Amino acid sequence: MMALPLQGMRGLGQARPPRCSRQLTVKPVAVSHCVGIKSAGQLQKLVKPTFKSFRDVTRQQIASAKGSRAPKRKAATMMPVSTPRVLVRPPGERQMEWVDLWEAYIMQKVVFINKPITEDLANNMIALTLYLDSLDKKRIYYWLNIPYGEVVPTLALYDTMQYVRSKTATVCYGMCWGMGGFLLTAGGEKNYRYAMPHSILMMHHPSGASRGQASDMQIESKELVRMRDYLTLVTSESTGQPYDRVIRELSRNKWMDPKQAIEYGMIDKILTTPMPKMPDGPMVKFERAEDNPGLIV
């Protein structure tokens, strides 16, 4: 009987472990965690391979990109919108000049107010009104888009509009709420108060707040009531409505569209451009070649 070599016998007794195409990362386990009696499930959890989630991989890539010195692409930004410039001839000049669009309108005595009336804005508008009045006596047009305004600065601008020699006209485009509605109604001369078709108008009583001693709060409340009565009186004279009706209806926000504002006396006319009339018959006649033999196609 032929004896097999020892190396061959070892090969028969031990099976070669299968090869695995996927390499797994085994989480290192401390020796102290394996001391004692562990069940099969606990041991499986200890040596369970760890896989990184998509979020972890993404965070790692972003962190490495931020720390890298490689050239980076600039972020896209919106093109800045600047004020248009137009070519006009200033008064007293022979040559044409490029000026801002707002300056060109100011030369024609057209003023735009599209912000809440504050002290700074009122000061600028008062100075501009006085300057335009010093040029000539042509009418000054105020285009208003005012969401709200402070009482005292608005009254200061209103007093200046009544003081100058030039007649004033007001036009609402967008909105005129609160003191903006008051300036639209009382600031412009009658028959020269306009509004665009889709404007929104609103008027109400002035509001305020105070704190401190009771006597001081009482004095401030009396001043607020006096201001309310004065604004109601001016609004009543401008709209032609009775004083009692105005003070009652303006105790809450009174919203109006241009048609309702005309009925209330807040404005005088709605600015609309009439549509051009279309011709009765077709402007171009379309004929087929077989219908008109003399037609050249």
Side-chain angles (χ1 to χ4, degrees), residues 190-238:
K190 287 190 177 182
N191 299 326
Y192 288 92
R193 301 172 300 179
Y194 309 100
M196 302 298 285
H198 296 91
S199 302
I200 303 176
L201 302 95
M202 186 269 289
M203 298 183 68
H204 57 193
H205 287 164
S207 59
S210 62
R211 58 181 302 177
Q213 297 182 2
S215 56
D216 294 336
M217 295 176 62
Q218 184 180 8
I219 294 173
E220 293 183 6
S221 62
K222 288 182 179 180
E223 177 63 20
L224 184 61
V225 171
R226 187 192 68 83
M227 191 67 64
R228 180 205 63 183
D229 296 341
Y230 174 74
L231 294 176
T232 303
L233 180 61
V234 176
T235 304
S236 175
E237 295 176 354
S238 302

Side-chain angles (χ1 to χ4, degrees), residues 76-94:
T77 57
M78 296 294 293
M79 182 181 66
V81 179
S82 59
T83 304
R85 301 178 68 86
V86 294
L87 189 63
V88 298
R89 179 180 296 169
E93 299 292 338
R94 295 183 178 181

Side-chain angles (χ1 to χ4, degrees), residues 28-263:
V29 182
V31 179
S32 59
H33 292 175
C34 300
V35 176
I37 301 176
K38 302 289 184 181
S39 61
Q42 293 176 348
L43 292 176
Q44 187 176 5
K45 290 181 180 181
L46 293 175
V47 297
K48 184 178 180 180
T50 57
F51 299 98
K52 294 184 178 180
S53 62
F54 175 78
R55 181 179 299 179
D56 297 337
V57 175
T58 305
R59 289 180 178 177
Q60 185 178 2
Q61 293 178 355
I62 293 176
S64 59
K66 289 182 178 180
S68 176
R69 297 183 179 180
K72 301 178 182 179
R73 185 176 61 181
K74 294 183 179 180
T77 57
M78 296 294 293
M79 182 181 66
V81 179
S82 59
T83 304
R85 301 178 68 86
V86 294
L87 189 63
V88 298
R89 179 180 296 169
E93 299 292 338
R94 295 183 178 181
Q95 297 181 354
M96 305 289 286
E97 296 181 3
W98 289 96
V99 299
D100 292 345
L101 183 60
W102 308 119
E103 296 181 8
Y105 274 114
I106 290 175
M107 294 179 184
Q108 302 297 327
K109 304 190 75 171
V110 179
V111 181
F112 287 85
I113 304 178
N114 55 1
K115 296 179 181 179
I117 301 179
T118 58
E119 293 183 2
D120 295 338
L121 180 64
N123 290 334
N124 294 334
M125 292 298 104
I126 290 172
L128 180 59
T129 301
L130 295 175
Y131 171 74
L132 295 178
D133 180 63
S134 65
L135 298 177
D136 51 44
K137 296 183 180 180
K138 294 182 179 180
R139 188 178 301 275
I140 304 176
Y141 287 84
Y142 294 86
W143 284 69
L144 309 177
N145 184 18
I146 305 173
Y148 58 89
E150 299 179 11
V151 176
V152 177
T154 305
L155 288 177
L157 179 57
Y158 163 74
D159 293 339
T160 306
M161 295 169 66
Q162 303 301 314
Y163 167 76
V164 295
R165 299 170 299 172
S166 303
K167 302 297 182 180
T168 57
T170 53
V171 183
C172 174
Y173 71 102
M175 68 182 77
C176 281
W177 300 349
M179 296 305 295
F182 171 82
L183 191 64
L184 170 68
T185 303
E189 185 184 0
K190 287 190 177 182
N191 299 326
Y192 288 92
R193 301 172 300 179
Y194 309 100
M196 302 298 285
H198 296 91
S199 302
I200 303 176
L201 302 95
M202 186 269 289
M203 298 183 68
H204 57 193
H205 287 164
S207 59
S210 62
R211 58 181 302 177
Q213 297 182 2
S215 56
D216 294 336
M217 295 176 62
Q218 184 180 8
I219 294 173
E220 293 183 6
S221 62
K222 288 182 179 180
E223 177 63 20
L224 184 61
V225 171
R226 187 192 68 83
M227 191 67 64
R228 180 205 63 183
D229 296 341
Y230 174 74
L231 294 176
T232 303
L233 180 61
V234 176
T235 304
S236 175
E237 295 176 354
S238 302
T239 58
Q241 299 294 335
Y243 177 86
D244 297 338
R245 179 183 177 183
V246 174
I247 198 171
R248 182 181 66 255
E249 293 183 350
L250 298 189
S251 60
R252 294 294 181 267
N253 294 344
K254 184 174 180 58
W255 298 89
M256 289 176 283
D257 56 20
K259 293 183 179 180
Q260 295 173 348
I262 290 179
E263 297 175 357

